[in-house]
């Protein structure tokens, strides 16, 4: 069965399904800017006033460079996320996560296509093992949003299996290796896969007795809350072992009532826990007020702050860099404002290291 991004879930005619939202997502930078009343920045006239550029050197000064950035890594913004971006505000922290920038095409020393050396972790097509006891399945290259800082923006998704049959070598390795206790479904975003295929994966994994846990890394419940359907909840409940959803939210503005509703429905699945990981991003959340609000908003929605990642130095993302000294300062300030369980661990993933490195003084 081929991995597709549509299924036959019934959705009321008045509410677009999650599949329809994927189809309707904005794929053009000019269209994105016009929708947000930033059309003066689009087309051949993309430019920024000098005073604003001093505060936000990320905003593109050249239309051709922006188009080149958008061609190298396409624009993709779904309507539910777009609706949370403040119109006419080029500094909006959600907009900056999805807006192509001229700086993306500049070659910067230390910024490479595979900064985590994931190629060295491949055990079979689509199967990665970075750490002891757990493996990661890159189920798809499809996402619900194209984050401009994505560390897999140059990952060779075309080499990944496209059907359950093609995934069999990876599943056989997992079944034969009793040291593997946890499987992580990743991508892309595994929830862009139709329920029938996702159910097949979970069923195959359920038959492996030494697996204790399943983890799903996803932005769908946040980007397109409609993805959390009764059918999805049923297939997740069928796992019948501890299940962790790691969502990805960088700013409190990303969480609206629809997102809270989707997260609350996920929490109804027996044994499911919700964690969040963020990336420290210049212009998005590199201030203590934004990080404090994020932790508080997440916890109010039933999600525990888990990781705050130092930016992975993938090509095209240098304009998001926040120095570690600044990150340490922010985490120290958070500790003075929040209880310990609301302060995420500030970490960096280093290639070929056996665990994530906690950043400390």
């Amino acid at each position: 069965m081929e991995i597709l991004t549509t299924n036959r879930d019934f959705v009321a005619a008045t509410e677009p399904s999650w599949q329809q939202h994927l189809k309707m997502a904005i794929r053009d930078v000019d269209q994105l800017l016009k929708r947000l009343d930033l059309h003066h920045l689009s087309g051949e006239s993309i430019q920024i006033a000098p005073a604003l550029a001093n505060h936000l050197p990320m905003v593109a000064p050249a239309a051709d460079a922006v188009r080149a950035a958008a061609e190298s890594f396409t624009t993709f913004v779904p309507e539910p996320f777009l609706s949370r971006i403040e119109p006419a505000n080029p500094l909006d922290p959600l907009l900056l996560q999805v807006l192509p920038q001229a700086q993306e095409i500049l070659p910067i020393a230390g910024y490479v296509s595979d900064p985590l050396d994931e190629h060295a972790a491949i055990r079979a097509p689509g199967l990665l093992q970075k750490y002891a006891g757990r493996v990661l399945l890159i189920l798809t290259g499809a996402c619900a949003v194209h984050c401009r800082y994505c560390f897999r923006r140059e990952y060779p998704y075309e080499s990944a299996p496209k059907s359950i049959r093609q995934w069999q070598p990876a599943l056989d390795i997992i079944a034969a290796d009793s040291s593997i206790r946890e499987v992580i479904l990743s991508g892309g975003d595994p929830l862009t896969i139709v329920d029938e295929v996702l159910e097949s994966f979970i069923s195959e994994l359920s038959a492996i007795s030494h697996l204790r846990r399943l983890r799903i890394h996803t932005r769908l419940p946040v980007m397109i809350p409609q993805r959390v359907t009764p059918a999805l909840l049923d297939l997740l409940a069928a796992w019948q072992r501890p299940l962790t959803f790691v969502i990805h939210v960088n700013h409190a503005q990303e969480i609206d009532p629809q997102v809270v509703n989707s997260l609350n429905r996920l929490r109804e699945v027996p044994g499911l826990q919700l964690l969040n990981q963020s990336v420290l991003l210049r212009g998005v959340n590199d201030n203590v007020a934004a990080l404090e609000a994020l932790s508080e908003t997440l916890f109010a929605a039933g999600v525990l702050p888990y990781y705050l990642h130092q930016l992975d130095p993938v090509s095209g993302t240098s304009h998001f860099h926040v120095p570690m000294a600044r990150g340490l300062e922010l985490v120290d300030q958070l500790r003075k404002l929040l209880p310990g369980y609301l302060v995420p661990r500030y970490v960096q993933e280093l290639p070929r290291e056996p665990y994530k490195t906690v950043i400390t003084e």
Side-chain angles (χ1 to χ4, degrees):
M1 182 181 295
E2 296 298 314
I3 296 178
L4 306 173
T5 53
T6 60
N7 72 14
R8 296 184 297 275
D9 289 349
F10 173 79
V11 179
T14 56
E15 173 64 41
S17 68
W18 65 272
Q19 303 98 318
Q20 289 170 324
H21 276 302
L22 285 174
K23 292 177 180 178
M24 295 185 301
I26 286 181
R27 293 170 167 82
D28 177 80
V29 64
D30 288 341
Q31 183 185 4
L32 173 64
L33 292 170
K34 288 175 183 177
R35 280 289 308 276
L36 295 170
D37 196 25
L38 293 167
H39 51 278
H40 57 288
L41 304 180
S42 65
E44 295 298 333
S45 63
I46 294 180
Q47 54 187 312
I48 269 298
L52 181 57
N54 290 335
H55 295 285
L56 188 68
M58 292 183 266
V59 175
D64 289 345
V66 170
R67 288 200 183 90
E71 288 174 5
S72 66
F73 185 55
T74 57
T75 303
F76 193 92
V77 187
E79 182 65 36
F81 185 75
L82 182 68
S83 69
R84 301 169 213 151
I85 299 175
E86 181 184 356
N89 180 8
L91 298 173
D92 185 275
L94 275 58
L95 172 65
L96 296 181
Q97 296 182 52
V98 297
L99 180 66
Q101 303 288 350
Q103 289 88 334
E104 294 179 29
I105 66 171
L106 299 176
I108 304 294
Y111 286 79
V112 297
S113 61
D114 183 13
L116 304 182
D117 197 15
E118 289 196 317
H119 180 78
I122 296 174
R123 292 189 61 178
L127 175 67
L128 278 64
Q129 183 162 21
K130 300 181 183 181
Y131 306 129
R134 50 206 184 275
V135 295
L136 188 146
L137 292 175
I138 306 289
L139 292 191
T140 176
C143 273
V145 64
H146 285 184
C147 307
R148 305 312 300 181
Y149 54 88
C150 178
F151 73 96
R152 289 201 183 114
R153 55 186 283 165
E154 297 191 29
Y155 187 87
Y157 290 109
E158 66 278 0
S159 64
K162 301 297 189 294
S163 68
I164 292 294
R165 179 183 58 81
Q166 293 176 2
W167 276 105
Q168 199 59 51
L171 294 170
D172 289 344
I173 288 173
I174 296 170
D177 188 346
S178 61
S179 72
I180 298 172
R181 299 180 296 276
E182 180 178 31
V183 170
I184 303 166
L185 303 185
S186 187
D189 194 310
L191 291 193
T192 59
I193 296 175
V194 298
D195 289 341
E196 293 89 347
V197 177
L198 190 61
E199 185 175 22
S200 295
F201 272 106
I202 292 178
S203 177
E204 292 275 355
L205 295 171
S206 294
I208 302 174
S209 60
H210 57 260
L211 292 182
R212 301 176 186 174
R213 299 178 295 276
L214 180 66
R215 194 192 321 174
I216 298 177
H217 285 205
T218 179
R219 290 205 87 182
L220 257 295
V222 177
M223 295 297 108
I224 304 177
Q226 294 80 0
R227 179 61 182 100
V228 183
T229 63
L232 176 65
L233 298 176
D234 287 344
L235 73 88
L236 294 174
W239 169 248
Q240 295 186 338
R241 296 175 212 176
L243 173 62
T244 301
F245 260 56
V246 181
I247 62 170
H248 179 181
V249 181
N250 296 312
H251 195 278
Q253 187 178 318
E254 297 177 44
I255 301 176
D256 68 2
Q258 279 194 320
V259 173
V260 172
N261 184 47
S262 77
L263 298 174
N264 284 338
R265 284 184 287 162
L266 283 170
R267 291 167 63 199
E268 296 173 2
V269 176
L272 187 148
Q273 63 176 339
L274 285 167
L275 304 176
N276 181 67
Q277 58 182 357
S278 306
V279 180
L280 184 60
L281 301 168
R282 180 173 176 234
V284 174
N285 58 12
D286 58 336
N287 64 83
V288 70
L291 292 174
E292 180 187 14
L294 175 58
S295 284
E296 292 281 14
T297 304
L298 284 167
F299 193 70
V303 183
L304 194 66
Y306 174 42
Y307 280 149
L308 175 64
H309 284 269
Q310 182 69 11
L311 178 74
D312 295 316
V314 67
S315 302
T317 66
S318 62
H319 54 288
F320 285 114
H321 174 73
V322 178
M324 284 188 187
R326 175 60 175 160
L328 287 168
E329 178 185 353
L330 290 170
V331 172
D332 183 63
Q333 293 176 24
L334 282 180
R335 291 193 183 103
K336 297 172 183 176
L337 296 169
L338 296 171
Y341 58 86
L342 291 188
V343 180
R345 281 174 285 178
Y346 183 32
V347 299
Q348 181 181 28
E349 187 167 356
L350 297 173
R352 306 200 186 200
E353 287 295 313
Y355 48 79
K356 287 184 173 62
T357 300
V358 179
I359 302 172
T360 58
E361 296 282 2

